[in-house]
Each structure stands twice: as C-alpha cells, then as structure tokens.
Amino acid sequence: ARPSWGRIGITELNEMQLIDAWTHLNHGLTVFESVWRPQPFRLVATSSSLSDNTATSSWQHPLHQRAADLDDSTVREFDSSNEVLRDWVKDCLSDLAAADDDNTYDENGKNNIDAPYQLQSEAFQSMLDVLQEFPSKRQHTSQAEKTTYAGRTQPREANGIPGRKWEQVEAFTKLVPKKNQYPIIDWCSGKGHLARWMHHSSSASDESCTGCGRTVHCLEIDSKLCRAGELLTKKQTKIPMDNGVIFYEHDVLNDVLPFKLQGEDFTYTALHACGELHRTALQLAAKNRVRDVVIAPCCYEKHFGMHNADDNGLLFQPLSTVAKDRT
C-alpha cells in the first residue's frame, strides 16, 4: 500500500515515497499510451483506402471519439476546470470498464485478460490517488483567490503580464522555497516577467525594504527579449539594476555558465522550459548540487535522444537512475 503524504511537506518526501509515486504515474502513462501519444494531423488509417467509409484510424481510442462529439460549451467548461475534465474521463473509463467486465470471461468460463479499458480505469484512479495525496499549496487557496484570471486585479508589479501568463507566474512563484535567500538563476527567461515577480515576492513581507529582494539572474538567448526585459525592469523603480533582476544573453544548450553563476549556492527556476532546455537545466543542477530546483517542463518530445532507425525518430533517454533501471 502507498504511504499517505497528505500531512507532510513536499520537501520531506523520502526517496522511497518519490519512487513509489513515480512508479504508479509511469505505469498509468504507459497504460494510457494509446490516448496521449498520437499526434494530431499525423494519423495513419488502418484501411488501405482512405475513401472507404468504414476506414478507421489506428490511433482512435473511445475517449478520442467521445471528445470529438463534445459541444463547444462543454469544451470551454473543461478548459476552465480540471476537476470537471477529470470527472468526465473517470465516467467514460468506468463505462468502458463495465463493457470490459461483460467480456472478462470467455464462453468456457476462463479469465479473459484482454480487458484494456478496465486496466486503464484502474490506472487512471491510481494516478489520481497519487496526485491527490501530494501536498499542494493550492489546497489552501481561499475562495477569493480561486476566481479566474479574467476577473482578477493584478498588483502593480505585475503590470504588463498577460492574464493567463500571470496566473502561471503567480502559482509558480508560490512554489519557490522561501527557506533561503540564495540568488535565483532563471532559465529561458524571455522578458523576465517571472523573474521580476520572484524578486518582488521575496521582499513583499517587508514593505519598508526597497531593493532587498532575491537577485534573479535571467538566462535568455534572444537579445531582443533581453533588451525588452531590461526596459520593463527599469520601469519598476523598486528593483535595483545592479543586483535585482539581471539579464544575460546566453545559449543554455551550448554556453558555459558565467563564472559568477557557477557553484551550488543558487536556486534554479524554469517555467515552460521546452524539451532539451529543461533536461539541460536538471543535468546542470545535479552536477552543481544547487540548493533548490523549481521547474515546470514542457514539450518532452523535443530532446536530443538516441536515434531510432526503426521509426526514424529519437528515443527518449531518462535522466534519473531510477527511471533508467525501470524502463
């Protein structure tokens, strides 16, 4: 049985608890591969004749078919509520699992192990159990704070951040550990919206303190974004230019970190670090043994993996020892 994690801080999870959580999530994703792996507009029909009305695409899963039948208002409801979407998926899988139940035994009374939707329903519930047991600061959010971004007033320091981006920046910043005040290195910073808010939030408890927030070093490859970020930073007079939010025109995939940013006394952050960008950040964080890492990866398929001659693609290479040993 899985241990209960509901009353302990996420930084207190031991290695075995994390491995257990990873194992359940990895199993669930593997079982659901037929749902999430297909890429839109790259679908291969099972029939040799695309004009055949009976032709079906090899990618199709009943969830895809049911999703295609949803009306626009339901889709918008899913977009605004993960809970509603979760419950819809659970109901769909329960229906499919019930159909599997009818075929669990063959005509001779022998167990029929080919019950994929039953396995998927169980795996989905297992993943939900893991995710719900993880402590989350969002669980303690007041009702007023749960209003959608469209109806909220952003603080002055967040001016210029688009609404949905602001929601992400605010939620991400709450997860940055406050137990230390080590400088932050933010990967792929863009214009530095996240960096400025992290600096502001680290000094927000002391309104009389000007310029005492954590220094944030912004790594960004695009020089235009660096210049735009510097201009936006200058407009916020509470941020000191010498040690507040500092931009570096830097290629994180190929350039060595500036000497002043090397070492362990840093916190690494990355919001939507795409593909190999977040993998490189994690590898460097492990190599330098930095104090904290807060990262929200995306686009896992964009990586520098080993070439796979069978399908002319790249094989994803796990980074952790646990994942390498179990995949």
Side-chain angles (χ1 to χ4, degrees), residues 51-278:
S51 61
D52 184 352
N53 290 332
T54 62
T56 58
S57 298
S58 59
W59 63 273
Q60 283 186 335
H61 183 284
L63 280 178
H64 297 146
Q65 298 167 353
R66 294 191 182 195
D69 293 334
L70 295 172
D71 56 43
D72 291 345
S73 62
T74 303
V75 173
R76 285 193 293 269
E77 188 176 11
F78 288 172
D79 188 50
S80 63
S81 173
N82 287 333
E83 289 75 16
V84 174
L85 175 59
R86 176 201 63 200
D87 292 341
W88 178 80
V89 174
K90 285 179 63 175
D91 291 343
C92 288
L93 290 174
S94 295
D95 293 344
L96 294 169
D100 267 353
D101 266 341
D102 295 338
N103 299 315
T104 299
Y105 297 93
D106 62 20
E107 57 185 7
N108 298 318
K110 293 183 178 180
N111 188 37
N112 177 14
I113 62 172
D114 187 17
Y117 304 131
Q118 199 168 45
L119 293 176
Q120 289 182 349
S121 181
E122 294 170 357
F124 187 71
Q125 186 59 55
S126 178
M127 288 193 292
L128 289 179
D129 291 343
V130 170
L131 295 174
Q132 289 172 354
E133 288 173 353
F134 262 91
S136 170
K137 295 186 179 183
R138 292 182 65 88
Q139 294 173 354
H140 308 292
T141 302
S142 68
Q143 191 61 39
E145 291 177 320
K146 291 180 180 179
T147 56
T148 60
Y149 71 87
R152 297 185 58 183
T153 300
Q154 295 177 200
R156 180 180 58 188
E157 291 82 5
N159 285 347
I161 307 179
R164 187 171 290 277
K165 177 73 171 180
W166 158 243
E167 270 200 334
Q168 297 169 359
V169 164
E170 185 185 34
F172 185 94
T173 301
K174 289 179 180 178
L175 297 176
V176 177
K178 304 298 191 297
K179 66 178 182 291
N180 66 57
Q181 288 294 304
Y182 291 109
I184 295 172
I185 299 178
D186 186 49
W187 288 60
C188 312
S189 297
K191 296 179 182 179
H193 293 314
L194 172 63
R196 282 185 293 277
W197 186 247
M198 288 191 296
H199 173 85
H200 165 74
S201 298
S202 65
S203 62
S205 59
D206 185 358
E207 296 182 357
S208 64
C209 178
T210 300
C212 61
R214 294 170 73 173
T215 301
V216 184
H217 302 278
C218 302
L219 307 181
E220 172 56 49
I221 192 172
D222 190 326
S223 60
K224 292 182 180 179
L225 292 178
C226 288
R227 302 295 84 76
E230 289 172 346
L231 290 174
L232 289 171
T233 302
K234 286 181 180 179
K235 292 181 179 179
Q236 295 193 17
T237 56
K238 289 186 176 182
I239 301 180
M241 294 302 298
D242 55 343
N243 65 348
V245 176
I246 307 168
F247 286 84
Y248 302 79
E249 187 178 334
H250 183 87
D251 180 354
V252 296
L253 295 181
N254 297 301
D255 297 345
V256 176
L257 279 178
F259 180 77
K260 65 182 296 185
L261 302 186
Q262 296 181 19
E264 64 180 23
D265 291 335
F266 292 95
T267 294
Y268 281 14
T269 62
L271 176 58
H272 296 320
C274 183
E276 199 65 25
L277 299 176
H278 71 255

Side-chain angles (χ1 to χ4, degrees), residues 6-51:
R7 295 184 180 179
I8 59 177
I10 192 166
T11 56
E12 298 174 10
L13 296 181
N14 63 43
E15 182 178 359
M16 291 308 299
Q17 290 171 322
L18 290 172
I19 291 174
D20 183 75
W22 178 88
T23 300
H24 281 83
L25 294 175
N26 185 64
H27 171 71
L29 290 172
T30 302
V31 170
F32 271 92
E33 190 172 17
S34 62
V35 176
W36 59 261
R37 182 173 290 281
Q39 299 182 38
F41 312 113
R42 295 186 180 182
L43 310 179
V44 180
T46 57
S47 171
S48 59
S49 173
L50 293 177
S51 61

